[in-house]
Amino acid sequence: MPKLGSHRVLAMGRRATLFVWRRMRRNWWLDRTCIAFLVIIGIVFGLSYYFMNVMANVASKRSKLIEDALGTRYTLPDVFFEFIGAVELLWMTDMFDALMFVPTALLVAWHERPWRVVSRLLLAWGLASLIRITTVAITSVPDPRPSCQYVQGNVFTAFSLHRCGDAIYSGHTLIFVVCAMVWTSFAPKNIVGRVLTACAWGLCVAGSLIVIANRAHYTIDVLLAWYIAPGAWYTVAWFWYWHITKKGRLLRIEFPVEVGRHRDADSPEMCQRRRVQLGLTSDGTPYDPIAMYLNALHGGAELTPPRQSADVQFIDEKDGSPESSDLLELPDSSCAVDVGGTSRDRTLP
C-alpha cells in the first residue's frame, strides 16, 4: 500500500507538471516582434527607475541646504502627523512592498494573457516613475523623519531606500497602488477574485498609513501617489486599447491563444463577439469595409467580414480599457458607393 500511494503521488506530480508546462508554453510563447517590444519596455522602465534614483539623490543633497540654512532639522506641519503617532519601523514599509508585489507576480504568472499584464504594469509604473523624476527634486522640503540620513558621494551611483529629501511623491505608495490596480483589472471575475482584490486594496491602505506613521513621507506625498498611479494606469489602458488591441498589433501578447479569447472558458461565440466588437477578423486583421468593397470591385480576393450576432450585448473585463459593451454596427452586405460620380449598388456575397 505505501508503494501504491507513492506511485499515485508521483503520477499526480507528473500530470501537474505537464499541465503547468503546457499552459506556460501556450500563454508565454512570443514571436520576435513581441520580444522586441518587451525588451524596449524593459529598457525604458529600467532607465526611468535609474534616473528616478538619481533625482532622489539630488533631492537629498538639496534638502541638506534647508538644514544648513535653519541650523536645525525642521518638519512641516501635517494633519495626519497629529492623529497618527510616530513609529520607527521602516522595515514595515518594505514588507508591505513585498506583500503587494509577490501575490501580484503570482497573479501575472497564472494569468491567461500574462505578457499583456506585464506590459501594462511596466508601462504604467514607468510612466508614474517618469512623473516622479520631474517632482522629487524640483521643490526641496524638510524631511519628515528627523533620523534620516543624507546621501553621500556621487548622485549617479549612490542608492538608499530611506534617504533624506526623497519626498514628493511616495515611491512606496506608488508600488502599492499600481499592484492594486493590477488586481482590479486582471483578477478572476468571481467571488475569489473579488475577495483577493478587496484584500489588495486593504493592504494598499494599510501600507499607506504605515508610510505616514514611520514619517517616511508627508501625507501630501502619499495622496499624490494615490492620484498619479491610477491616472498612469488608465492612461496606458486607453493607449493600449486604441493603438494595440483595436489595430490588431502584438497578437501574441494580446491574444496568445486565439484572437478574441481572453480566458480558457470563453466559448467560440464569445470570441466571435469580441472580434466583431473590435473590428478584427479571425487572424487579427482590422476589418475595413471600404477596402473590402474596393478590393472586390477590382476583382481581388474578398475579405469576409465577421458576422454580427443579432441583439447581443457583451460586457468585457473591466481592465480600464474604454471598451463599449455594445457591439459595433457593421455594414450590411448590400452597400452603395459613388464611383466616378454615379451611384452603383453592389451586393457582396
Side-chain angles (χ1 to χ4, degrees):
M1 292 300 293
K3 289 186 177 180
L4 181 60
S6 64
H7 286 314
R8 287 181 177 177
V9 171
L10 290 175
M12 291 176 61
R14 284 194 294 268
R15 286 196 295 269
T17 303
L18 183 60
F19 171 77
V20 172
W21 166 250
R22 288 176 176 174
R23 182 184 179 92
M24 292 186 65
R25 185 177 181 181
R26 180 191 61 183
N27 295 338
W28 288 81
W29 181 84
L30 295 172
D31 55 24
R32 293 180 180 178
T33 303
C34 295
I35 292 174
F37 175 77
L38 289 170
V39 169
I40 293 173
I41 288 180
I43 292 174
V44 172
F45 175 77
L47 288 175
S48 67
Y49 221 75
Y50 169 73
F51 282 106
M52 184 177 66
N53 179 74
V54 171
M55 296 306 292
N57 290 336
V58 173
S60 179
K61 287 182 174 293
R62 287 179 59 82
S63 65
K64 192 174 187 307
L65 300 176
I66 302 175
E67 180 179 347
D68 294 340
L70 296 177
T72 183
R73 290 198 174 185
Y74 176 75
T75 301
L76 297 176
D78 191 292
V79 173
F80 271 55
F81 287 3
E82 300 173 8
F83 294 97
I84 301 177
V87 297
E88 286 290 339
L89 299 171
L90 281 175
W91 60 269
M92 292 190 67
T93 61
D94 302 324
M95 182 191 72
F96 270 90
D97 274 343
L99 288 176
M100 292 296 298
F101 189 79
V102 173
T104 302
L106 295 176
L107 171 67
V108 172
W110 193 250
H111 199 271
E112 287 89 347
R113 298 189 289 170
W115 288 118
R116 183 174 189 264
V117 186
V118 171
S119 301
R120 291 269 302 272
L121 171 63
L122 292 183
L123 286 172
W125 195 349
L127 177 59
S129 298
L130 289 174
I131 296 174
R132 191 169 189 265
I133 289 174
T134 65
T135 62
V136 68
I138 296 300
T139 301
S140 299
V141 297
D143 200 90
R145 186 165 52 91
S147 60
C148 69
Q149 300 295 322
Y150 292 106
V151 170
Q152 304 293 330
N154 194 331
V155 296
F156 292 98
T157 57
F159 179 79
S160 175
L161 289 175
H162 304 287
R163 76 210 99 187
C164 292
D166 187 6
I168 304 173
Y169 57 92
S170 173
H172 284 78
T173 309
L174 168 62
I175 298 175
F176 303 157
V177 180
V178 168
C179 290
M181 293 302 301
V182 172
W183 282 93
T184 301
S185 298
F186 298 110
K189 306 304 176 183
N190 51 33
I191 185 63
V192 176
R194 293 186 179 94
V195 170
L196 291 176
T197 301
C199 291
W201 282 108
L203 287 174
C204 187
V205 173
S208 301
L209 295 177
I210 288 295
V211 169
I212 296 174
N214 277 281
R215 304 301 189 256
H217 284 279
Y218 291 105
T219 305
I220 186 62
D221 304 332
V222 174
L223 289 177
L224 283 175
W226 274 84
Y227 302 152
I228 293 173
W233 180 265
Y234 285 114
T235 299
V236 170
W238 179 90
F239 178 88
W240 188 275
Y241 177 76
W242 288 106
H243 296 278
I244 303 296
T245 306
K246 287 283 287 183
K247 295 188 177 180
R249 296 169 174 166
L250 304 174
L251 291 177
R252 284 301 306 175
I253 293 178
E254 185 67 17
F255 302 112
V257 178
E258 177 188 0
V259 176
R261 183 174 295 278
H262 290 181
R263 303 176 185 86
D264 295 337
D266 291 346
S267 64
E269 292 77 13
M270 182 175 292
C271 297
Q272 177 66 7
R273 293 169 194 166
R274 286 199 183 100
R275 289 194 291 267
V276 172
Q277 181 184 12
L278 296 173
L280 300 176
T281 58
S282 59
D283 64 351
T285 304
Y287 165 63
D288 188 349
I290 297 178
M292 183 197 71
Y293 174 79
L294 294 177
N295 193 32
L297 187 66
H298 290 86
E302 298 184 15
L303 295 175
T304 303
R307 301 294 180 184
Q308 181 179 3
S309 302
D311 299 326
V312 178
Q313 287 188 341
F314 169 71
I315 300 177
D316 203 351
E317 62 177 348
K318 300 178 180 178
D319 63 348
S321 302
E323 299 182 5
S324 170
S325 61
D326 297 325
L327 296 178
L328 297 178
E329 293 291 336
L330 295 180
D332 297 329
S333 59
S334 177
C335 53
V337 178
D338 188 10
V339 180
T342 60
S343 178
R344 302 179 183 178
D345 292 335
R346 181 180 177 87
T347 301
L348 298 180

